[in-house]
Amino acid sequence: MREAFLRVGTRTVAALVFLLLVAGALVTSTESGLAVPDWPLSYGKVMPPMVGGILYEHGHRLVAAGVSTLVGLEFGAIFFFFERKRKTLKLLAGAAFAAILLQALLGGLTVLFLLPPAISSAHAALAEIVFALTAVVALMCSKTWADLTKAPPDIPFKEIPSSPSSSSAENISSKGEETCSAFRWVAIATAAIYIQIVLGAVMRHTGAGLAIPDFPTFFDSWLPSLSVLSRPGVPIHLAHRLGAVVVVLLVLRAAKSLSGVPVPLLAALGPSWAGLVCLQAFLGASSIWSSKAVPITVAHLALGALCWVTGVLALVCLGACRNPSNALSSARRA
Amino acid sequence: MTGPAIRFRFAALCAAALLGTALLTGCGGKDDEDEDRPKSARAGASKEGAAKDGAAATSAPAASSAAGPAAGATGAASITGKIVFEGTVPAAEKFKMSADAFCAKSHPGDVSREDIAIGPDKGLANVFVYVKSGINGTYPAPATPATIDQRGCTYHPHVFGMVAGQSLEILNSDDTLHNIHSLPEKNEAFNLGMPVKGMKYTKKFDRPEVMIRIKCDVHGWMSAYCGVLSHPFFAVTAADGTYTIKNLPAGTYTIEAWHEKLGTQTQQVTVGAQESKPAAFTFKAGA
């Protein structure tokens, strides 16, 4: 009962953090970030009239207040009532709470300092960390995690016979190598996604989203000229476009390596992840074709967050499988 | 050191700190009165705002008389002209003000954007025309403030000019809240909440800058442009596209015409004392 409550609660918190990200995307996409010029109050009130851009900005603040409280409660529940022995889980829940508090402070500062790109971009980058932390907490409270980290019932990993005649040992060893290889590729791809998200945040907050107004061409040319590169916003925009190519290639490679992992859930995750990233690239192009239509830019940001968290969750699961004893049990289950 | 002596020193330090704080507060008080303070002229601001609409958009070099030795000169010459739009008149982009019930009530139905306003005989309104170069000397900021009013969920005027250091009076004549957010590159930006009808703020732009965008983040369609110059020789075209830059001293000037969507154009004009010279501009879509 207690575990079920924790499972549902942590998943709900992670989903609400995602909702908070979408609310933040609505603020930037509708350019409502300064519709409320004061902070922490809004026009000196707790509840101003929800008109125009205030609906998005104050709505984001209200969602943030609610979600921050829930992240705090999650941390409290994990720390004091539920998971007395799981240090990592407690640490992650505490980090999520600390990060969301810092996030609130950055949100306030960016309003008070009129959206300086450095603070606004840091706000966007930290939001992804908060989402990842709450998602990992939810994963670590799930049945999937319990299965992944279950100790092998009989012999420890090091006692497995390593003679060439033992085909099962060879098979296990090969599966372990595939898991390690997948871990490396997923780690690289996930890091690339995060860098790409930060580049996107800087592009968005420096107003460079349409610095190159056409796609896939660059100012009606297939290769950007040097004179074009000196235009404001073009370098960061170009970096985000090139980053997208790198991310798609890396995720496709990581997805391929995931298919060899002896955990059915992770093996199945590869194609979904690759599909998400390809759709994300299409949304990026669509945001240019539509001159930054609000629904498309919001969807682009939301899907970017999902791609990132998918990578993080896959990485954490692979990390658990990479543990020799867990790898053995996973291989046996496979 | 004895206990009473320590207490005496502590008391003396506290007194000095209090005195210093009081002096600093006293020094800063005037600035607070001048800027950033909502004057909340609830009763009178609405009428005042309406009367002053467009006042800043017409150039007024009258305040440059009290000049020192390095003061720039004024004269009786003028540059006048008409700015026209050539080509097919683009269809005005329509939108609804439904995001705010007050605005929707002020403008029921579709509203046209103000960015390309073409009047009779294709005269182009809201073009900022100013002397870009050829002016020597310094000109003091006029004592009369420029005014921008938030009325009917639009800015009045949409394009205006002012002299660096001149006060800008910002009014809210609407019975809804606005924020007024300036986006300068050379001056200090501001973002002020104006939740009450009749509120008034006074701000300044200290450095010349052409142009500064002003926007309301609550109502995304609201935007205005302000040209800040070091001299008072500017004008904004009227609805029929005409303008006059008055009180120029004799000389050769580069005149620039700026439009928010159609870009800029320049011309050189030489005027003699008490002479009036024409300078017409033609803007084309996508030029």
Side-chain angles (χ1 to χ4, degrees):
Chain A
M1 176 66 188
R2 206 173 65 166
E3 280 70 25
F5 179 75
L6 195 62
R7 261 199 309 275
V8 173
T10 52
R11 277 179 202 180
T12 307
V13 168
L16 288 172
V17 170
F18 178 67
L19 181 75
L20 177 58
L21 266 167
V22 173
L26 272 169
V27 172
T28 49
S29 296
T30 57
E31 295 184 14
S32 307
L34 290 175
V36 181
D38 50 340
W39 184 84
L41 289 174
S42 300
Y43 289 92
K45 296 175 180 176
V46 175
M47 198 66 204
M50 298 292 268
V51 294
I54 299 171
L55 175 69
Y56 301 110
E57 170 59 19
H58 192 68
H60 180 50
R61 292 186 188 187
L62 291 179
V63 175
V67 173
S68 303
T69 308
L70 287 176
V71 172
L73 287 174
E74 178 185 82
F75 169 58
I78 287 172
F79 195 84
F80 294 109
F81 301 114
F82 288 106
E83 301 293 331
R84 291 183 188 280
K85 288 174 186 170
R86 293 171 67 181
K87 275 186 185 170
T88 310
L89 182 63
K90 282 196 260 186
L91 196 69
L92 287 171
F97 185 46
I100 207 164
L101 291 180
L102 180 60
Q103 180 70 348
L105 183 67
L106 284 176
L109 288 176
T110 202
V111 166
L112 296 177
F113 290 101
L114 308 183
L115 308 183
I119 299 180
S120 298
S121 303
H123 185 59
L126 188 60
E128 304 287 343
I129 301 286
V130 173
F131 184 32
L133 285 169
T134 52
V136 171
V137 166
L139 171 72
M140 292 178 85
C141 294
S142 68
K143 280 182 180 167
T144 309
W145 184 257
D147 287 345
L148 278 173
T149 54
K150 202 178 284 174
D154 39 28
I155 48 172
F157 189 75
K158 59 185 174 185
E159 289 175 21
I160 295 170
S162 57
S163 66
S165 59
S166 171
S167 62
S168 66
E170 269 179 14
N171 188 34
I172 288 170
S173 172
S174 148
K175 293 288 181 191
E177 277 171 22
E178 280 171 10
T179 305
C180 283
S181 165
F183 181 85
R184 276 195 297 273
W185 280 111
V186 171
I188 293 167
T190 306
I193 291 175
Y194 189 72
I195 292 168
Q196 175 69 351
I197 284 174
V198 173
L199 283 175
V202 174
M203 184 185 78
R204 177 177 269 241
H205 293 291
T206 51
L210 290 175
I212 303 174
D214 49 340
F215 183 88
T217 48
F218 308 88
F219 296 99
D220 296 325
S221 164
W222 285 102
L223 278 175
S225 64
L226 280 176
S227 62
V228 157
L229 286 175
S230 62
R231 293 188 193 178
V234 168
I236 184 73
H237 186 111
L238 194 61
H240 189 61
R241 278 195 194 191
L242 296 176
V245 177
V246 173
V247 163
V248 168
L249 292 175
L250 284 172
V251 170
L252 288 176
R253 179 64 187 84
K256 190 179 169 231
S257 69
L258 271 174
S259 63
V261 172
V263 181
L265 178 74
L266 287 173
L269 191 66
S272 314
W273 194 25
L276 276 180
V277 167
C278 290
L279 181 60
Q280 173 70 348
F282 175 72
L283 282 177
S286 302
S287 64
I288 293 172
W289 292 329
S290 67
S291 297
K292 293 201 297 180
V294 171
I296 292 176
T297 52
V298 171
H300 186 53
L301 194 143
L303 202 59
L306 289 179
C307 291
W308 149 249
V309 160
T310 305
V312 169
L313 294 181
L315 194 65
V316 173
C317 289
L318 285 166
C321 295
R322 228 166 48 131
N323 179 313
S325 56
N326 294 339
L328 177 63
S329 62
S330 299
R332 279 185 175 151
R333 282 197 298 276
Chain B
M1 201 176 289
T2 61
I6 290 170
R7 276 198 293 276
F8 175 76
R9 281 198 170 189
F10 180 70
L13 271 172
C14 285
L18 276 173
L19 186 64
T21 310
L23 281 170
L24 282 172
T25 312
C27 291
K30 196 171 182 299
D31 283 346
D32 290 345
E33 278 171 25
D34 286 346
E35 285 197 55
D36 290 1
R37 211 188 74 178
K39 289 171 187 162
S40 297
R42 192 184 257 273
S46 179
K47 270 193 288 179
E48 192 184 353
K52 282 181 180 173
D53 182 15
T58 52
S59 62
S64 54
S65 55
T74 55
S78 64
I79 295 171
T80 185
K82 180 167 181 170
I83 298 185
V84 292
F85 179 84
E86 192 178 274
T88 311
V89 176
E93 199 184 327
K94 305 271 186 188
F95 66 97
K96 285 190 192 318
M97 292 190 179
S98 52
D100 186 326
F102 172 85
C103 305
K105 200 176 162 189
S106 306
H107 300 271
D110 287 343
V111 184
S112 298
R113 290 207 185 277
E114 298 172 284
D115 46 11
I116 300 184
I118 298 169
D121 300 326
K122 292 197 173 180
L124 192 57
N126 291 331
V127 181
F128 185 66
V129 193
Y130 68 102
V131 178
K132 190 174 185 181
S133 63
I135 296 287
N136 297 313
T138 57
Y139 293 83
T144 317
T147 306
I148 183 166
D149 189 11
Q150 298 152 103
R151 183 156 36 87
C153 297
T154 50
Y155 286 117
H156 299 268
H158 178 62
V159 176
F160 63 102
M162 57 192 289
V163 178
Q166 183 180 4
S167 295
L168 172 64
E169 205 165 72
I170 304 162
L171 308 170
N172 180 13
S173 300
D174 281 339
D175 201 5
T176 189
L177 45 72
H178 293 288
N179 75 301
I180 184 157
H181 175 199
S182 69
L183 298 119
E185 288 180 4
K186 296 173 187 166
N187 285 280
E188 197 179 330
F190 59 79
N191 182 31
L192 309 167
M194 302 189 78
V196 180
K197 182 180 181 181
M199 269 183 92
K200 192 188 290 186
Y201 276 111
T202 303
K203 296 297 289 184
K204 279 179 185 171
F205 295 115
D206 291 324
R207 297 181 192 88
E209 186 172 348
V210 177
M211 304 284 288
I212 296 173
R213 187 174 173 226
I214 292 170
K215 65 183 262 204
C216 174
D217 301 278
V218 179
H219 308 104
W221 61 82
M222 285 177 70
S223 70
Y225 293 89
C226 171
V228 184
L229 300 173
S230 59
H231 58 75
F233 304 114
F234 57 83
V236 176
T237 54
D240 62 355
T242 58
Y243 75 91
T244 304
I245 300 174
K246 295 177 194 165
N247 299 340
L248 277 162
T252 298
Y253 303 108
T254 302
I255 307 295
E256 183 165 271
W258 173 96
H259 187 270
E260 65 181 282
K261 286 280 177 190
L262 303 172
T264 57
Q265 290 187 19
T266 54
Q267 272 187 44
Q268 270 216 335
V269 181
T270 302
V271 283
Q274 299 191 342
E275 196 179 7
S276 179
K277 277 281 182 76
F281 293 86
T282 302
F283 280 90
K284 295 174 188 173

